Amino acid sequence: MGAFAARARLSPKALRLYDRLGLLAPAHVDETSGYRFYRPAQIERARLVAMLRQLDMPLALIGELVALVELDGPAAAGRLAAYWADVEARIAGQRTLADYLRGRLSGRSSEMEELYGKFVVETVDVPERVVLTQTRHTLADELPAWIGASLGRLEAGARECGGVTAAPFVVYHSEVSMESDGPAESCVPVADEAAARAWAKAHGRAWETAVRVEPARRLAYTRITKAQVAHPQIIAAFEAVERWLAGQGMKPAGPCREVYFADWDAAGPDDAVCDIAFPIGS
C-alpha cells in the first residue's frame, strides 16, 4: 500500500479512510496481515480523489463524481463546474463581507469612507405603476427563499394580468434582520389593473396577495452585484445610500427597497443584479 500511496499522492491514512467511505476500495486485502493491495489501474482514480480533495470538495460529492466519471465524463465535468460555481459565489460573498467587517471593526473613518466609496449613488424617476404584491413577516435567514418564491408566484400571475411591465422589487416596511421580521413586500408591476385585482382576489387568502398603485417616485439608488445581495453584506449598500442622502441634506420619503432587474439564476457573483433604493422628494 505504501508504494501505491506514494504514486497516487495519497497517504496510507487517506487510503484507509477512502476505503471505509467506498471511494477507493483495494483490489485485495490480505486476511492475515490486513495489508491492502491496489492495481496500477486504480492510480488514476486515486489521483482524481486527491485532486478533488484539494478543491475542498465534500467526500460525499467526491464519491458521486468519481462514480459518474466512469459512466459519463462530460456529465461529471458538469457536476464539477456546478460545484466550483457555488464555491466562487461563496468566496465572492465572503470577500464582500470581509470588506464590510474590516470597515466596521477598524473604527477609522478612512476605512469607512473606502467602504462606502465603492457604491455609486444616482437618482432616477419612475412612473406610477400598478403592482401585484405579496407581504410577509420574515427574518433575514428566511428572506432570500421567500423573495424567490413570492416573486416567482407573482411573475406567474402577471401573465394573466397583461404581463410584467417593469423590474420586480421588494419593499421593506420595517427592518428585516435576525431580530426584526419586517414586514417585507414583494412587488411585480403589471399592465392590467382589473385583471390583477381579480387574480389577487382569487389567491389573496393563501398567499397574502394584493394589488395597489405605486405612485410616481424619484429614487436614490446604488447598484450591487449578486455577491453583495447576501445579508449582512447588503447592509453596506443601504448605509451608503443613506449617507449620500444625508450629505445632500435629504431624508428618505418612504420605505427602502431592492429592485431586481437581472436574471438571478444566469448571473455570476460579480454581475450586477439589484438596485438598493430609497424614495426621495422630487
Side-chain angles (χ1 to χ4, degrees), residues 1 13 16 49 86 94 124 155 183 194 233 240 247 254 275 280:
M1 182 172 69
K13 181 179 179 180
R16 289 191 291 270
V49 170
D86 288 342
Q94 290 173 329
V124 63
E155 288 174 341
Q233 293 94 302
D275 289 337
I280 56 176

Side-chain angles (χ1 to χ4, degrees), residues 4-52:
F4 179 85
R7 294 183 64 189
R9 306 185 188 100
L10 288 168
S11 69
K13 181 179 179 180
L15 286 176
R16 289 191 291 270
L17 172 63
Y18 297 161
D19 179 19
R20 289 198 303 272
L21 297 174
L23 294 176
L24 189 65
H28 172 68
V29 179
D30 187 282
E31 294 182 0
T32 302
S33 66
Y35 194 87
R36 291 170 168 81
F37 294 90
Y38 293 85
R39 296 188 304 271
Q42 292 180 281
I43 290 176
E44 183 61 31
R45 181 181 179 121
R47 288 178 176 173
L48 176 59
V49 170
M51 287 187 287
L52 292 174

Side-chain angles (χ1 to χ4, degrees), residues 46-249:
R47 288 178 176 173
L48 176 59
V49 170
M51 287 187 287
L52 292 174
R53 286 296 291 156
Q54 289 295 311
L55 297 179
D56 291 327
M57 182 177 286
L59 290 172
L61 182 55
I62 289 177
E64 295 175 12
L65 198 147
V66 295
L68 181 60
V69 76
E70 297 174 359
L71 301 173
D72 188 339
R79 290 289 298 278
L80 175 58
Y83 166 76
W84 193 247
D86 288 342
V87 171
E88 289 185 323
R90 174 173 54 80
I91 291 173
Q94 290 173 329
R95 181 171 60 248
T96 301
L97 178 57
D99 287 343
Y100 174 73
L101 291 174
R102 188 184 71 246
R104 279 288 191 191
L105 297 174
S106 70
R108 295 191 296 270
S109 59
S110 60
E111 290 280 359
M112 297 305 290
E113 290 302 325
E114 179 185 352
L115 170 66
Y116 294 127
K118 294 179 180 179
F119 298 99
V120 177
V121 179
E122 300 179 275
T123 62
V124 63
D125 291 309
V126 294
E128 178 181 278
R129 295 173 294 189
V130 175
V131 293
L132 201 58
T133 79
Q134 288 183 12
T135 302
R136 181 175 175 179
H137 288 272
T138 179
L139 297 175
D141 58 344
E142 301 169 339
L143 183 64
W146 178 76
I147 288 176
S150 61
L151 289 181
R153 288 191 293 264
L154 293 174
E155 288 174 341
R159 290 195 286 269
E160 301 177 31
C161 308
V164 178
T165 60
F169 57 99
V170 178
V171 178
Y172 296 99
H173 295 283
S174 188
E175 180 184 359
V176 174
S177 65
M178 294 307 295
E179 294 79 31
S180 179
D181 65 352
E185 180 189 27
S186 288
C187 303
V188 172
V190 297
D192 188 331
E193 182 176 354
R197 294 194 181 280
W199 191 88
K201 183 177 181 180
H203 298 86
R205 181 172 299 178
W207 292 339
E208 299 184 63
T209 306
V211 175
R212 64 179 177 83
V213 177
E214 173 81 359
R217 297 181 183 274
R218 173 168 292 176
L219 301 176
Y221 72 95
T222 189
R223 187 152 290 184
I224 63 174
T225 66
K226 187 174 181 178
Q228 292 171 321
V229 170
H231 183 86
Q233 293 94 302
I234 197 170
I235 294 174
F238 280 106
E239 291 176 346
V241 180
E242 289 177 309
R243 283 170 61 91
W244 183 88
L245 289 174
Q248 302 294 315

